[in-house]
Amino acid sequence: MHHPDHQPDGRTHRPAPLGEHLSAPTTRAAMAVQQEALYAAREFLRGQGCTELLPPLVGPVTDPGGRGAKALDVDYYGQPYKLMTSAILYKQASLRGFDRLFYIAPNVRVEPPETAGTGRHLVEFHQIDVELAGATRDDAMEVAAGLLTHVVRHVLDTVPQVLTELGRDPLAFAELLGDKFDTCTHAEAVDRLRGGGHPQSADAEIDWVGEETLSREADRPFFVTDYPKGSRGFYDREDPQRPGVLRNFDLIAHGGFGELVSGSEREVDYATIVTRMRESGENPAKYAWYLTMAREGIPGSAGFGMGVQRLVRFLTGLDALWQVSAYPKLPGVVAP
């Protein structure tokens, strides 16, 4: 099933009107894959001892985010609340009662309009959000890799005909299922990109072009670890043995599909969190409820978020995230 909007550069046109989009064979196929992926994700995470909670939709503050995305404001009984761009702060708070938990969390991020053509950004999307008390980064990476592997196996077992209709070759997943994922550091990734002529900053996240380049060079998913301090949120724990290096990771899919997962060990020391907030330009006063809980004691943890639409796009091999969303909202485009 070849989508008629496919362009030579791998990008796609905007979605058709909503009714037409919802009735399109490609949309129905993508939703069949999504349903099986979510079933498998819940099955795997419950098997890991995680409790599924329903995430908050609005709050006094949300993940400060990055890369130009903004949160939407909400008038909450006269208080300036935010729609959740990420429920990470609530995941940490929930460790007070649940030592292993997950959400299938809706997120709203007002991405810059120029990201509409990347094929990798939507204003509304979902994440499989996982948090594990007492876990290390390596523990979280192992769960993330196990989750992806389990979902791929389940989808291949249950809806192979749908993948065939979409033109997705099962051999694309052979290396994923056959071996442990490789790992490289952020510094090593920067060196590889610069060696290939891409001017990647050593102090920032891997940019979209660099991420896609690394992704296309790989034959199975791989981890990038040790992002520099300042490139990520205040909640990513700094390595006590290596100042300036964060105990975090991304999981990058092969084939040009890019990042599927971001995660880290979490910073839980109250004074350190406040310092990190100030260093990143955040006002600690906005985070009063979170800092109160940090002062009282939040368990050490590690966790991650896996993008649902990015996962389904990877599984289906489709060109853009809007094709795997029933109700797509592209950055800068007003849509129902």
Side-chain angles (χ1 to χ4, degrees):
M1 185 190 297
H2 180 75
H3 197 278
D5 283 339
H6 183 74
Q7 292 178 344
D9 63 358
R11 299 177 183 177
T12 52
H13 295 296
R14 294 176 181 180
L18 186 57
E20 204 176 310
H21 171 70
L22 285 167
S23 63
T26 302
T27 306
R28 295 202 303 274
M31 293 304 97
V33 172
Q34 176 179 278
Q35 178 166 270
E36 295 303 334
L38 290 175
Y39 176 95
R42 287 186 162 104
E43 179 181 60
F44 176 82
L45 291 169
R46 289 183 64 175
Q48 293 288 310
C50 295
T51 299
E52 181 175 3
L53 302 180
L54 297 178
L57 302 179
V58 301
V61 73
T62 184
D63 176 0
R67 288 186 170 176
K70 296 178 181 177
L72 274 177
D73 295 323
V74 177
D75 183 342
Y76 187 73
Y77 299 105
Q79 297 297 312
Y81 270 43
K82 303 286 185 183
L83 283 178
M84 288 296 109
T85 64
S86 164
I88 182 170
L89 305 181
Y90 291 90
K91 283 197 303 180
Q92 283 190 274
S94 299
L95 296 170
R96 296 280 288 271
F98 305 88
D99 60 358
R100 295 171 79 86
L101 67 122
F102 74 97
Y103 304 139
I104 309 295
N107 294 164
V108 178
R109 296 183 188 175
V110 184
E111 299 279 359
E114 59 268 22
T115 64
T118 67
R120 303 185 60 251
H121 295 85
L122 292 172
V123 174
E124 292 182 346
F125 64 99
H126 296 75
Q127 289 196 93
I128 304 168
D129 250 324
V130 180
E131 202 68 21
L132 311 165
T136 65
R137 175 177 64 184
D138 287 349
D139 296 330
M141 289 167 64
E142 185 175 345
V143 172
L147 172 59
L148 178 59
T149 302
H150 183 80
V151 167
V152 168
R153 280 204 180 100
H154 178 82
V155 167
L156 287 173
D157 288 345
T158 55
V159 286
Q161 75 285 358
V162 176
L163 298 184
T164 299
E165 289 170 11
L166 290 168
R168 187 63 159 147
D169 189 341
L171 288 176
F173 306 109
E175 294 291 336
L176 182 158
L177 297 172
D179 208 347
K180 188 176 179 181
F181 299 164
D182 293 331
T183 299
C184 73
T185 67
H186 178 272
E188 290 168 343
V190 169
D191 286 345
R192 280 169 55 188
L193 288 169
R194 287 179 171 178
H198 179 67
Q200 172 63 46
S201 168
D203 301 316
E205 285 193 297
I206 306 296
D207 63 35
W208 297 311
V209 174
E211 193 178 284
E212 183 178 14
T213 299
L214 294 173
S215 176
R216 289 196 183 282
E217 290 174 352
D219 56 11
R220 66 175 180 270
F222 63 95
F223 289 104
V224 178
T225 62
D226 298 347
Y227 282 75
K229 183 180 175 182
S231 67
R232 291 289 180 89
F234 59 78
Y235 38 76
D236 282 13
R237 182 170 176 249
E238 187 174 7
D239 192 322
Q241 266 69 57
R242 295 182 297 162
V245 176
L246 300 174
R247 297 275 298 165
N248 60 4
F249 66 92
D250 280 353
L251 178 58
I252 311 294
H254 61 292
F257 291 94
E259 175 205 313
L260 295 181
V261 176
S262 281
S264 74
E265 288 180 21
R266 311 305 188 190
E267 185 55 69
V268 293
D269 177 70
Y270 171 79
T272 306
I273 292 171
V274 172
T275 300
R276 291 282 303 280
M277 283 180 175
R278 288 178 174 145
E279 287 174 347
S280 64
E282 288 294 311
N283 178 8
K286 294 194 310 183
Y287 296 85
W289 73 266
Y290 175 74
L291 289 173
T292 296
M293 296 193 77
R295 191 187 292 114
E296 294 170 352
I298 293 175
S301 67
F304 61 85
M306 176 182 283
V308 172
Q309 284 79 13
R310 288 185 179 185
L311 172 63
V312 177
R313 181 191 170 212
F314 170 64
L315 292 166
T316 58
L318 290 167
D319 297 314
L321 287 191
W322 68 260
Q323 294 173 283
V324 297
S325 174
Y327 317 106
K329 288 185 175 63
L330 282 170
V333 179
V334 176

